[in-house]
Amino acid sequence: MRGILLFAAILLMILAGCGTQQSPQQLSAEKSVLLYGFEGNEIPAEVVAEDLSFEHTTGKGVRAGRQALKAHYPQDTLYKKVAFEPEQPWDLSSLTGPSAIALEITNLSADSTQLWMVLKDETQSVTSHISIHAGASGTYYMDLAGPRQQLDLGMTGWPGWGETGDAIPFQYAWGTRELDLATLQYIGLYIKGNITERTLVFDQIRIVSRPESDATDLKGLVNRYGKSADRDWPGKVKSDQDLKDQAAQEWKELEQSDSMAGRSKYGGWADGPQLEATGYFRAQKYQEKWTLVDPEGYLFFAAGIANSRFSNTATVTGAAYENVSDKTGKHVVSELRRDLFEWLPESADPLAEHYGYATSIHTGPLKHGETYSFYKANLQRKYGEDYLNIWREVTLDRLQHWGFTCFGNWTDERFFNNGRVPYFAHVWIRGEYQRVSTGNDYWGPIHDPFDPKFKTSVATSVAGITDQLDGDPWCVGIFVDNEISWGSYSHDPMRFGIVINTLGRPTEESSAKAAFVIMLKQRYSIIEALNTAWEAELESWDDLAQGFEHTGELTGKRREDFKILSEALAEKYFKVVRDAVKERMPNHLYCGARLADWGMTPEVARAAAKYTDVCSYNMYTEGLPGHFGEWLAELDRPAILGEFHFGATDRGMFHGGICTAANQTERGVKYANYVRSVLESPYFVGAHWFQYVDSPTTGRAIDGENYNSGFVSVTDKPYKELVHAARELHSRLYDIRFQE
């Protein structure tokens, strides 16, 4: 990033002059404010390890004659933090201009480590992360305040979120962009879902001033191919001819490629046992392991890639139309967004056909606006006017060459009935019906399954895809909905948010509330019994029907009842959906709603297991967490991983994704490790990588994600390191699953 070398120099000068820890109140406006230096014999009282082992240390990663803090994160750490919580907030308000939090980190582990940092002021927080190479030691920082932080760019990762110079920035994940430096009161450094133990050394945690920068640095951020304009890397596309040359080379490789040995027609284990052939995919247990069985009766593991389609390949251009239907009255509504692009096609350009329009944007500076797909434009440049058909065939060739056995969720309709690679289909439930809230509805309030209109909407939505599938045996199953915000098992207000918020509503407004009242009446008969159980003071059932406000801790029989109500609502949802799916598609697997690790509870997981053929989960960790295996053992149902990925910033992307790697080679290593952990589970029948193509460099239109999450880049170039690792693992897929 422009200016980062100057910042690195400032950090090095600051580090040379760092002394002992200053008072945490009214800290002075110097170039650096040292929060923790870890000198002396005692670890500061406000340092909390949350069940981790930590100690003062000297040696590797520590400057001569100094001490630092060594933290040991055991295998399968789940949100364990080394946290810094002073009794009184730090007041850094006298620091003017751009500022950042910086610290020295050494990774003593044998593997690279994704470290998450949480910073909080009095009312808000920000979460960021970084991938630290095995054995690496350096200065890492996260911007806190300044002109850049006040911008809403419509992209998650910004320029500079990569390794440049001596200071390495953390990548923004979620939360506020700018904290209140007058009330900074929490620093947390944590790891989640690691499959091997880690040891990190922390030192010189400080607040530093950083060079001025503003939006002018962002002009011409991406070139005509939608890639970083001022970065370079091996194989970067710089001309249309580069695209054509890459296509010719890949075609030659695909033509010479050997197919995976020992595979059945549908990608199952042809060298293994052949069970009953039903003509469709099904799930059953084999040798105490859940597995899928392909239409010919061969054992099948669903190693797939999700989101193989053009949706979400478009980015917001900063323009809008006065009349969207006929695209008239075009005008720029965000100069900031418009200036990001070196090139966008004029209306007469053949590549102008890749403009679109987002009528609803979830996250970003605009709520609607013009979009452009550089990916589709690059396909047209690469393959010519028949690019859509060629893309389809090349994608099918790739998946077979790479050893994948299926497409995952959100398969492009062009791959329905393709006769070569199995796939999963997806249905969104649309319609006008009541909703319920958890209090933390990331994608919006969720369905009220007790509303009769919901059942009608489900039937209509499911019917919409039935004709397209037409009983195709290559369709493994159907996902319905995605990442519903059911709640979180982290603490009770989140876990039972649906119940708490629904009970607070009158029955006239909420079918779920009316159902809850009926269930409680059946459980307690008289209001006095409910009052005794809940330690409440309701005058009548009508009083409950008007609205009940839960306050305080959730304990005793009230907590037990909230669990029952929460599970009953989830059961109603999954039953209604299952009934609709089985009525229209009785031969296909109903695979649930892909429960996100941040948005599910034990009650919802049990409900899903009861009504789905295969339970589905989206889980962004290094591998399957140990605690999750215990959960699955309790349910004892077949499960599938709907999403995971690893990304890096060494090929022109500004953000590595939810889970990161040090570089492209390590993306492949982490892919193999993750899938192997799934293969070793007796419950999982598949794992789907998210996604086929990288997010747009300037952020996908719906929410600004600009992750290096693809098996191919925006220029449709496969990441060879990732492909090689996947192909090598896939060649041993069934041996690992059933013979090791």
Side-chain angles (χ1 to χ4, degrees):
M1 175 184 174
R2 305 168 181 88
I4 197 168
L5 293 178
L6 174 60
F7 179 43
I10 292 173
L11 284 178
L12 292 174
M13 289 188 294
I14 290 168
L15 181 58
C18 282
T20 59
Q21 183 174 329
Q22 299 184 34
S23 168
Q25 294 299 309
Q26 298 296 322
L27 297 172
S28 61
E30 301 173 0
K31 286 288 185 181
S32 172
V33 176
L34 182 64
L35 302 180
Y36 295 99
F38 305 111
E39 297 304 317
N41 295 323
E42 299 294 332
I43 297 174
E46 61 259 38
V47 181
V48 181
E50 297 192 4
D51 300 327
L52 292 172
S53 171
F54 68 117
E55 62 189 49
H56 269 110
T57 188
T58 58
K60 185 175 181 180
V62 183
R63 287 172 298 130
R66 306 297 292 266
Q67 289 180 311
L69 186 70
K70 180 190 287 186
H72 306 283
Y73 295 85
Q75 181 180 348
D76 199 30
T77 294
L78 184 67
Y79 296 108
K80 296 296 186 181
K81 304 182 183 73
V82 173
F84 304 86
E85 303 179 70
E87 291 186 7
Q88 299 295 325
W90 296 292
D91 183 358
L92 306 166
S93 56
S94 58
L95 279 173
T96 59
S99 59
I101 185 168
L103 67 161
E104 308 303 306
I105 307 174
T106 298
N107 181 12
L108 299 181
S109 315
D111 301 297
S112 75
T113 298
Q114 184 173 11
L115 179 71
W116 298 75
M117 179 163 62
V118 178
L119 305 174
K120 298 179 182 178
D121 62 23
E122 194 169 44
T123 60
Q124 51 191 0
S125 67
V126 60
T127 298
S128 58
H129 55 86
I130 191 71
S131 187
I132 308 170
H133 294 228
S137 183
T139 299
Y140 301 82
Y141 74 94
M142 172 68 182
D143 283 326
L144 295 175
R148 272 287 187 93
Q149 298 307 103
Q150 297 169 7
L151 298 176
D152 190 348
L153 296 177
M155 45 197 285
T156 306
W158 296 359
W161 295 113
E163 292 191 21
T164 309
D166 296 320
I168 304 170
F170 274 77
Q171 297 178 342
Y172 173 85
W174 57 78
T176 183
R177 285 286 187 175
E178 188 168 29
L179 290 167
D180 177 9
L181 295 186
T183 61
L184 187 63
Q185 60 185 23
Y186 180 92
I187 304 170
L189 301 167
Y190 71 91
I191 293 176
K192 65 169 187 173
N194 51 308
I195 59 176
T196 60
E197 65 179 18
R198 302 292 203 276
T199 300
L200 301 177
V201 176
F202 303 114
D203 198 9
Q204 302 298 301
I205 301 177
R206 57 203 184 276
I207 308 296
V208 299
S209 297
R210 91 181 253 18
E212 293 282 352
S213 61
D214 56 34
T216 59
D217 292 349
L218 304 172
K219 289 187 175 181
L221 182 66
V222 295
N223 61 20
R224 65 185 290 109
Y225 303 102
K227 297 293 290 181
S228 173
D230 62 355
R231 295 186 185 184
D232 202 6
W233 58 91
K236 180 179 181 180
V237 170
K238 299 178 181 179
S239 68
D240 290 7
Q241 190 59 47
D242 285 347
L243 289 169
K244 293 179 172 62
D245 290 345
Q246 288 177 5
Q249 178 61 34
E250 186 181 10
W251 278 333
K252 184 183 301 183
E253 293 172 359
L254 291 173
E255 287 174 357
Q256 297 172 352
S257 170
D258 296 327
S259 59
M260 286 284 163
R263 296 282 178 91
S264 71
K265 171 184 175 181
Y266 291 93
W269 189 26
D271 291 341
Q274 187 172 16
L275 309 182
E276 180 186 0
T278 64
Y280 291 92
F281 285 90
R282 69 179 191 276
Q284 74 171 65
K285 268 192 176 179
Y286 174 77
Q287 294 183 347
E288 300 304 314
K289 294 180 180 179
W290 282 104
T291 183
L292 295 177
V293 180
D294 77 14
E296 294 181 320
Y298 294 105
L299 305 183
F300 180 89
F301 185 85
I305 299 182
N307 209 36
S308 300
R309 58 176 185 167
F310 294 117
S311 295
N312 292 332
T313 65
T315 190
V316 175
T317 67
Y321 300 109
E322 292 180 3
N323 190 327
V324 177
S325 61
D326 60 7
K327 295 184 178 181
T328 57
K330 183 175 178 177
H331 58 288
V332 175
V333 292
S334 173
E335 295 286 351
L336 179 63
R337 285 292 302 182
R338 197 68 173 179
D339 286 346
L340 296 178
F341 307 100
E342 279 188 349
W343 171 91
L344 284 169
E346 298 295 332
S347 58
D349 192 315
L351 295 178
E353 70 176 77
H354 306 301
Y355 279 116
Y357 203 87
T359 57
S360 178
I361 295 174
H362 182 268
T363 306
L366 305 177
K367 297 307 176 187
H368 60 89
E370 180 189 68
T371 64
Y372 191 73
S373 174
F374 283 96
Y375 181 59
K376 292 184 74 174
N378 288 330
L379 291 177
Q380 185 172 344
R381 291 164 169 145
K382 185 175 186 177
Y383 300 127
E385 292 307 309
D386 196 29
Y387 70 93
L388 289 176
N389 289 325
I390 296 175
W391 172 80
R392 178 184 184 275
E393 294 306 309
V394 168
T395 301
L396 289 168
D397 288 343
R398 284 171 173 171
L399 260 67
Q400 290 187 309
H401 170 61
W402 299 346
F404 284 99
T405 61
C406 65
F407 290 97
N409 194 37
W410 291 315
T411 304
D412 193 288
E413 295 175 5
R414 293 173 180 83
F415 299 116
F416 290 2
N417 300 279
N418 70 77
R420 291 178 58 189
V421 177
Y423 62 92
F424 287 75
H426 178 267
V427 174
W428 284 113
I429 299 175
R430 310 288 192 189
E432 295 297 325
Y433 45 83
Q434 295 172 356
R435 304 276 176 164
V436 292
S437 172
T438 64
N440 186 30
D441 309 315
Y442 182 74
W443 294 114
I446 71 174
H447 316 288
D448 184 339
F450 293 100
D451 184 349
K453 293 180 181 178
F454 174 71
K455 183 176 181 180
T456 302
S457 295
V458 173
T460 302
S461 299
V462 170
I465 199 171
T466 303
D467 293 339
Q468 294 174 284
L469 300 179
D470 194 28
D472 183 13
W474 292 85
C475 178
V476 182
I478 297 94
F479 295 104
V480 181
D481 283 331
N482 181 64
E483 292 189 345
I484 297 173
S485 299
W486 294 105
S488 171
Y489 53 81
S490 57
H491 60 293
D492 280 355
M494 292 286 292
R495 178 170 174 174
F496 302 110
I498 291 176
V499 176
I500 292 170
N501 284 284
T502 300
L503 285 176
R505 300 174 64 187
T507 56
E508 295 82 9
E509 296 180 1
S510 171
S511 296
K513 170 61 179 294
F516 284 178
V517 172
I518 291 172
M519 282 184 261
L520 291 169
K521 281 184 178 180
Q522 292 171 343
R523 186 166 171 78
Y524 289 103
S525 299
I526 59 174
I527 197 66
E528 289 78 12
L530 177 64
N531 281 332
T532 300
W534 285 18
E535 298 182 357
E537 298 179 354
L538 292 162
E539 294 183 1
S540 65
W541 291 111
D542 286 341
D543 194 13
L544 175 64
Q546 289 305 308
F548 174 80
E549 182 180 356
H550 166 77
T551 58
E553 291 188 22
L554 188 56
T555 59
K557 289 190 175 182
R558 186 187 296 193
R559 189 174 190 275
E560 291 178 14
D561 288 343
F562 279 26
K563 291 171 67 175
I564 292 170
L565 296 175
S566 177
E567 192 162 337
L569 184 141
E571 282 195 11
K572 182 69 172 179
Y573 165 82
F574 285 107
K575 184 180 186 306
V576 170
V577 176
R578 177 187 172 84
D579 288 349
V581 170
K582 291 304 179 181
E583 181 179 352
R584 299 300 297 259
M585 293 174 279
N587 296 314
H588 295 294
L589 297 171
Y590 169 43
C591 300
R594 306 198 321 153
L595 304 177
D597 54 359
W598 51 263
M600 64 177 171
T601 68
E603 293 73 33
V604 172
R606 282 194 294 269
K610 186 174 181 179
Y611 288 102
T612 58
D613 296 312
V614 179
C615 306
S616 54
Y617 308 93
N618 293 351
M619 189 164 298
Y620 286 91
T621 53
E622 284 190 353
L624 286 184
H627 79 284
F628 200 69
E630 297 172 6
W631 193 344
L632 293 170
E634 176 188 341
L635 299 176
D636 193 19
R637 294 290 296 153
I640 197 164
L641 248 301
E643 284 187 20
F644 73 101
H645 70 216
F646 303 97
T649 55
D650 59 340
R651 298 285 170 84
M653 298 295 286
F654 303 133
H655 200 293
I658 299 174
C659 288
T660 59
N663 49 44
Q664 296 302 318
T665 297
E666 194 177 73
R667 288 183 78 202
V669 172
K670 287 182 176 289
Y671 174 85
N673 288 341
Y674 192 104
V675 176
R676 176 176 274 277
S677 77
V678 175
L679 287 166
E680 292 171 350
S681 165
Y683 306 104
F684 277 94
V685 299
H688 299 163
W689 171 278
F690 184 87
Q691 56 187 347
Y692 181 57
V693 59
D694 282 339
S695 304
T697 310
T698 49
R700 64 184 191 181
I702 188 174
D703 60 3
E705 284 188 6
N706 56 343
Y707 300 161
N708 170 221
S709 53
F711 258 73
V712 302
S713 70
V714 174
T715 56
D716 195 48
K717 182 178 181 180
Y719 289 101
K720 288 189 174 182
E721 300 90 340
L722 181 57
V723 167
H724 175 77
R727 181 172 166 82
E728 196 280 329
L729 178 77
H730 294 161
S731 69
R732 299 179 293 114
L733 194 68
Y734 293 111
D735 289 338
I736 296 171
R737 178 64 175 167
F738 296 108
Q739 293 189 319
E740 287 190 2

